[in-house]
Amino acid sequence: MEQRALTGNIISDPKVLKMSPILLFVKIADTRSGQLINCLVHKHGLNFLYQATLGSQIAVYGHYNLRKQFVIDKFMINAQVSA
């Protein structure tokens, strides 16, 4: 598996696919290529669910699975400040 780093914006609210163990689905728009990436979150899923909001900037690190879904191993979400 080739590990990759991507940056982009969250364009869909995280969707819970499975509760035990937790598995989340989210779509991210890549800032470099502009393409939509289907992502799965397993590690630290509850933290992701708490921090992720629609339109937030995100940096992710992970790999593609056989179904061409990006499996996120690490993430960092840029906090949105509301004025």
Side-chain angles (χ1 to χ4, degrees), residues 25-71:
F25 172 79
V26 68
K27 286 190 178 189
I28 296 175
D30 189 10
T31 54
R32 283 186 244 151
S33 65
Q35 74 183 91
L36 300 178
I37 302 169
N38 296 322
C39 299
L40 296 175
V41 182
H42 174 66
K43 295 180 181 177
H44 307 290
L46 290 177
N47 286 337
F48 187 90
L49 195 57
Y50 175 70
Q51 295 176 2
T53 57
L54 191 62
S56 295
Q57 293 179 341
I58 187 168
V60 295
Y61 181 78
H63 63 277
Y64 283 99
N65 64 9
L66 295 177
R67 294 182 180 180
K68 305 295 185 212
Q69 298 163 323
F70 192 77
V71 180

